[in-house]
Amino acid sequence: MAQNEIAVNLPQTLDPVYANRIQVAYKEDEFTFIFLHEIPGTNQARAKAIVSITPKHAKNLLSVLARSMKDYEEKFGTIQPPAEKTGDANVTMRGYS
């Protein structure tokens, strides 16, 4: 195994989750991502996973996502950003602090 490779163990009991919304919070020493599944036709969402990482890892994630999106668009075509919504697009979450 090369020096920059690691072996990853994915437990068979680890189930994949689907999220169609994400909430991001940060403080000086961490970024927290709350992955949500927004239930269509309602004003409700279920939290599926909460992941906290260091700011350095968040910056690395940003770089990896940008590179992956570039590769994806080269293969499948450009993704158009969603149309701008009028009013406040922010969503207030209750039940998490």
Side-chain angles (χ1 to χ4, degrees):
M1 184 178 299
Q3 204 171 13
N4 62 347
E5 293 180 7
I6 61 170
V8 176
N9 179 10
L10 292 176
Q12 290 187 1
T13 58
L14 184 64
D15 292 328
V17 297
Y18 173 76
N20 57 6
R21 181 175 289 273
I22 187 171
Q23 181 79 29
V24 179
Y26 58 88
K27 55 185 186 175
E28 183 179 355
D29 61 343
E30 71 181 22
F31 277 74
T32 299
F33 303 91
I34 306 167
F35 294 90
L36 305 161
H37 178 225
E38 185 175 0
I39 303 163
T42 72
N43 64 344
Q44 297 179 4
R46 290 190 180 114
K48 294 297 189 171
I50 300 173
V51 178
S52 294
I53 60 177
T54 65
K56 184 176 178 179
H57 286 108
K59 187 76 167 200
N60 187 46
L61 175 63
L62 179 64
S63 174
V64 168
L65 283 174
R67 192 169 52 246
S68 296
M69 184 57 68
K70 180 180 176 291
D71 293 346
Y72 177 93
E73 289 185 328
E74 286 175 359
K75 185 173 183 177
F76 299 109
T78 303
I79 298 172
Q80 297 301 320
E84 297 239 356
K85 294 180 181 178
T86 57
D88 189 6
N90 291 324
V91 175
T92 301
M93 285 187 8
R94 293 184 313 240
Y96 179 79
S97 58

